[in-house]
Amino acid sequence: MRRVTKNVRENRTINTVYFNDEESSRARPGQFVMVWEPGYDEFPMSLSNYDSKGLCSVTVKPWGPGSGEMVKARRGDLIGIRGPYGRPFTVDKSSALLVGGGTGLAPLLPLAKALVKEGGRVAVVIGGRSKPDLLFEEQMRRAVRRKNLFITTDDGTYGHKGFPTDLAESMIKERRVGRVYTCGPEIMMRKLYDISVTAGVEFEASLERGMKCGIGICGSCTVGKNLLCRDGAVLDAKDLKDSLDEFGVLQRDQSGRYIKV
Amino acid sequence: MRRVTKNVRENRTINTVYFNDEESSRARPGQFVMVWEPGYDEFPMSLSNYDSKGLCSVTVKPWGPGSGEMVKARRGDLIGIRGPYGRPFTVDKSSALLVGGGTGLAPLLPLAKALVKEGGRVAVVIGGRSKPDLLFEEQMRRAVRRKNLFITTDDGTYGHKGFPTDLAESMIKERRVGRVYTCGPEIMMRKLYDISVTAGVEFEASLERGMKCGIGICGSCTVGKNLLCRDGAVLDAKDLKDSLDEFGVLQRDQSGRYIKV
Amino acid sequence: MVGPSLRVSLAGLRFENPLMLASGIVGVTVPSLTRAIDSGAGSAVSKSIGLEPREGYRNPTLVATQDGGLLNAVGLSNPGARIFAEELSEVRGRHLPIIVSIFGGGPVEFSRVVDILDSQEFLAYELNLSCPHVEGVGTEIGHDPEVVASVVKAVRSRTKKPLFAKLSPNTHKIVEIARAAVASGADGLTAVNTVRAMAINVETTKPTLTHKYGGLSGDAIRSIALAKIYELYEEVKVPIIGCGGVSNWEHAVEMMLAGASAVEMGTALYQGYGVFQDVNRGIVAYMRRKKFRKVQEMVGLGH
Amino acid sequence: MVGPSLRVSLAGLRFENPLMLASGIVGVTVPSLTRAIDSGAGSAVSKSIGLEPREGYRNPTLVATQDGGLLNAVGLSNPGARIFAEELSEVRGRHLPIIVSIFGGGPVEFSRVVDILDSQEFLAYELNLSCPHVEGVGTEIGHDPEVVASVVKAVRSRTKKPLFAKLSPNTHKIVEIARAAVASGADGLTAVNTVRAMAINVETTKPTLTHKYGGLSGDAIRSIALAKIYELYEEVKVPIIGCGGVSNWEHAVEMMLAGASAVEMGTALYQGYGVFQDVNRGIVAYMRRKKFRKVQEMVGLGH
Ligand SMILES: Cc1cc2nc3c(=O)[nH]c(=O)nc-3n(C[C@H](O)[C@H](O)[C@H](O)COP(=O)(O)OP(=O)(O)OC[C@H]3O[C@@H](n4cnc5c(N)ncnc54)[C@H](O)[C@@H]3O)c2cc1C
Ligand SMILES: Cc1cc2nc3c(=O)[nH]c(=O)nc-3n(C[C@H](O)[C@H](O)[C@H](O)COP(=O)(O)OP(=O)(O)OC[C@H]3O[C@@H](n4cnc5c(N)ncnc54)[C@H](O)[C@@H]3O)c2cc1C
Ligand SMILES: Cc1cc2nc3c(=O)[nH]c(=O)nc-3n(C[C@H](O)[C@H](O)[C@H](O)COP(=O)(O)O)c2cc1C
Ligand SMILES: Cc1cc2nc3c(=O)[nH]c(=O)nc-3n(C[C@H](O)[C@H](O)[C@H](O)COP(=O)(O)O)c2cc1C
Ligand code: FES
Ligand code: FES
């Protein structure tokens, strides 16, 4: 088990919880870990930071008992971490557009850093309902050039008024975007998928599904024929093509029944 | 499992059976393997040869069903090999006297080669009841200087007439012997122990006991508090000091009862 | 010379090869089962389906034990027979070699599940007997020969499809239970389900799984499964599907030598779906080397 | 501050630490048992002793399975009660914490073994119930609550020494059997013996062990043993000695958290006798970190 080293409040709901873990610190952008909050739950979380010294973090929004306990974590608390698991985002020099909403920014932060390091052009759109819901503005500002960071709020309290998808759409049309990367509400990601495919732009999204094993055994994380924990959590347009009746539409609940995403 | 690559007749009863085994080829002199003759038995055997190319051998005298089958082995036959196990002989530059009888020559052959390579003075006494019982005369002749190889036969049909222990005793008294190494009938080894201890010369012997596991679990190979498979099969004078009521006198049978050696 | 053939037939069914996806492994949904078949499994067993949808236990539901085993207490989560029947209806006509695993708390519940599913297109049922006997005294169904007999009889009377009784390894009565199943109409046996086990975390000082007890699968149980298969082969005269800890061709061959006509793989799927092809290739190479032409020639040869 | 203490007492016995050498491991002879104790074991259980000398099965009697387990079918080789009694008489007066494991084909044979051994100096008996019931129907003694009761009663009537009934993990009736043993006078339970298993060699196509079936020990069975101990702790109110797959301090602690008052180690001896000291050190470090002062504070804490 790992000890929490610090817990940083990011905005009114979201916290980033830090811990030391050698293995996770060798992750690649978009990989996730299974986080065990003893007595509560075990759940998948994207790694939002990992450095060469073994310091890692996950960025949590409270939903149920597990994440609800996790945001309250205190220095020294014990949590279980296994991973890193899953297929990472592609890191290359294609001109990148990153679009994130809510905790979806978590995997996009290390991705932005990796892409910049690789030397490609990187633009980021951060979306939120309102100013206090925005995540990682500061961190992204440090990661990419000022002119390449865009903020949208649904209510216009900060940055561009509107949905991140609208801004992204115009950027895809105006600029030379090689690949769209996204993580956030699935309906947003589905919209971006449609936009990207129409524009003939590459597309990668990190999806969320209920997970039990994280290692391709239990089958609880299916999106079509894909096991999200193994074939994803990052799926590209090709993976998603056969699952358009699910992606952004339906997901399986714990019992395996379809419910709306 | 391993395939037998050749089976060489050594004398009227003893054969050397060759096989390829990476692990065994990294053995040290005096180590043994557990040889499984499927359908018959599994039994410990000293490695009599091992080279850097993975070719190994054991040198077998037929006693029971397992060894009885083994001497009949043909090229291509499958045998099980696990090991190498056990504590090897000490290989250093002390002036060495090797005394062997019967299949006891098996572990002494790689020992002689290793000692010569190390650069020490190495004398070898090979004993046998009669000329046709001698083992490894040729091989030892190739390993050590001609003047350092001595043969004894009980009946005087070849070499010195008498027991190898008699010759060894005079050599220990006459020459500068640093350490006596021996393997063979236990009564012979016990005699040499007594001679060596009296003369203040170091002593190492490779003993034989019934073995089941070869890895220090089953306890069938005890000599006093020592487990022969782990603490031996090579024991030195210090190990043997507390077991003088057993060494050369008694051994445990399969049920754990004492019987004469 | 023609190479060795991997085709097998058992209980009147024919499969391209002896490998099967074990129940509860990735095959929660029909697309997952299909993918296993497309990846080289001769057939695929569904997650165990019960009468009503079940969410199962809260995570942690799986934990890797230090001994190469996997411990799970998923809690039979499944969408229920009605929804699964619908899902099956979407692949009607594709003749997929799917076997449906079902469970229930006793003969009545098992029967109802069969009634809902039976008109769908699939090859056979596997009866998961490793669940608590809710209609009866509360012990595990698979440990009581009489309950097993009543369940198999009930199911037998409602379907013409072949039935495989999946046996628990957690009892000394496995032969007795197998006999009861066969006498009541089972066409074959699957041996074995997971071994009851537990992991405790020394930091929290408590059992790791939310359900505390779990079922051990993977490497750790292979030699246990093998002994059961070997024993059943000598005592019961119906085909046996081997299951437990198989993750390479050597393991699969061991099981067939012990008496298994086909071999399920579960935990091995952590290697990915490619494991079916890898194992099939290994079996063929072995057969060629040992000069077996048919899988059947190996079955039970270890006796 | 005083450091944590490893002393334990159970069934009226006191040990320097909770670690014990398991039966049948190196301890075939009194010198081996003594060496285990000198190396840091709190106590040592002898190889199971029967009425007559037994040679056991022909090799191979042990095989390492690929799953970190060890499979054995030694066949209860032992020198017989008379010779073992003689051997014990040679250490009289040394007050060694030796426990003698005994076996027999039923109550009569067990009683005779006790009669021969009882006047010797040792702490307690462990009753090995995992042998075929030769006086009765031929099944394993340890799977039948009535036979277990009769054996324990018979032994109880002939000795004042504490009795530990060593339970088989191969039955779903372990709680019932434990209750029968306790009701008949057992002072404690040892859980568990080896798990029935088999290895088949794909080259020879036959079972590797001469006896075909063997008992699995080591890593592979730890989580199985743990579940049994956890269950027994909730159902039976006598001290439990944990056994099965313990090879480091973490495993030992897991067992104590599950409810074991002491912990036997067997297969772990492949690490050498030093394993007792290593594990004891690890337990002390854990206790210090977790602020336990006595072993008893950990026992059953996992519930
Ligand atoms: C690959 C991957 C990466 C993820 N990364 C992150 C991350 O970085 N940060 C993060 O906060 N979450 C992330 N998630 C989602 C996270 O795993 C779930 O939020 C988690 O299961 C919550 O666990 P819980 O025990 O708190 O709630 P549960 O008991 O699992 O859920 C409680 C209720 O909240 C609902 N709920 C839970 N999560 C969500 C959600 N995300 N959106 C809408 N409803 C939800 C559930 O449906 C349920 O009704 C990720 C998921 C995946 C698959
Ligand atoms: C470390 C070690 C190294 C060994 N190296 C060799 C070796 O290089 N070459 C070799 O031939 N043997 C060697 N042995 C002895 C060999 O292991 C036994 O001979 C073997 O057990 C015979 O097996 P089996 O199945 O043929 O006979 P078993 O069935 O074990 O024995 C049949 C009968 O022969 C008797 N017997 C067996 N071996 C001997 C013996 N050596 N002396 C006297 N009586 C015996 C037995 O007591 C029994 O009565 C070694 C033993 C040990 C412990
Ligand atoms: C996560 C998981 C879920 C399982 N679910 C079921 C199930 O629903 N029904 C069933 O009969 N067996 C189930 N099993 C048992 C497997 O089908 C199989 O019997 C067992 O895992 C042993 O095989 P393996 O070692 O190849 O995994 C499950 C096993 C695992 C690991
Ligand atoms: C080689 C060997 C011999 C054994 N002999 C006995 C025995 O005579 N009596 C007994 O009660 N248990 C015997 N056992 C079982 C052990 O005492 C122990 O219960 C089992 O090995 C599980 O513990 P472990 O995993 O720590 O080895 C034997 C085990 C092995 C490996
Ligand atoms: S979470 Fe189990 S298969 Fe993906
Ligand atoms: S042969 Fe088993 S302990 Fe030495």
Side-chain angles (χ1 to χ4, degrees), chain C residues 39 50 52 54 58 74 84 87 91 100 103 106 110 131 146 166 177 190 218 224 232 236 262 265 293:
Chain C
S39 306
E52 300 297 336
R54 277 172 67 103
R58 175 167 286 281
V74 166
F84 196 70
E87 211 165 314
V91 288
V100 177
F103 75 93
F110 266 96
C131 35
E146 282 171 38
K166 183 164 180 185
I177 285 154
T190 303
I224 301 170
L232 287 168
V236 189
M265 291 200 291
R293 288 148 308 156

Side-chain angles (χ1 to χ4, degrees), chain C residues 65-68 71 139 143-144 169-173 177 195-207 212-213 216 219-228 230-232 234 248-251 253-255 257-258 286 289-290 292 300-303, chain D residues 65-68 71 139 143-144 169-173 177 195-207 212-213 216 219-228 230-232 234 248-251 253-255 257-258 286 289-290 292 300-303:
Chain C
T65 56
Q66 295 163 354
D67 47 37
L71 195 58
T139 170
H143 295 164
D144 184 334
N170 299 303
T171 171
H172 61 284
K173 288 192 178 171
I177 285 154
V195 179
R196 196 154 178 274
M198 177 179 279
I200 292 183
N201 186 292
V202 298
E203 297 306 330
T204 68
T205 74
K206 302 290 174 197
K212 296 182 179 175
Y213 296 97
L216 188 65
D219 264 352
I221 70 166
R222 183 172 52 258
S223 57
I224 301 170
L226 210 59
K228 301 285 188 192
Y230 198 90
E231 189 176 6
L232 287 168
E234 300 202 329
N248 65 33
W249 68 265
E250 218 165 330
H251 304 157
V253 168
E254 274 190 70
M255 283 216 168
L257 294 170
Y286 172 81
R289 182 154 61 78
K290 288 283 192 178
F292 295 119
L301 198 65
H303 292 260
Chain D
T65 56
Q66 294 162 355
D67 48 36
L71 195 58
T139 171
H143 295 163
D144 184 334
N170 299 304
T171 171
H172 60 283
K173 288 191 177 172
I177 285 154
V195 179
R196 196 153 176 274
M198 176 180 280
I200 291 182
N201 186 291
V202 297
E203 297 306 331
T204 67
T205 74
K206 302 291 174 199
K212 296 184 178 173
Y213 296 97
L216 187 65
D219 263 353
I221 70 166
R222 183 172 53 255
S223 58
I224 301 169
L226 211 58
K228 300 286 188 192
Y230 198 90
E231 190 177 4
L232 287 168
E234 298 201 330
N248 65 32
W249 69 264
E250 219 164 328
H251 304 158
V253 168
E254 273 190 73
M255 285 218 166
L257 294 170
Y286 172 82
R289 183 156 59 79
K290 288 284 194 179
F292 295 120
L301 198 64
H303 292 259

Side-chain angles (χ1 to χ4, degrees), chain B residues 32 40-47 58-68 103 106-107 206-211 228 233 251, chain D residues 58:
Chain B
F32 66 93
Y40 294 90
D41 200 355
E42 191 185 36
F43 42 87
M45 287 273 143
S46 303
L47 287 162
V58 292
T59 297
V60 197
K61 181 163 182 165
W63 287 101
S67 51
T103 54
S206 176
L207 274 65
E208 291 186 5
R209 286 294 181 274
M211 287 188 181
L228 208 62
Q251 65 180 37
Chain D
R58 177 168 286 279

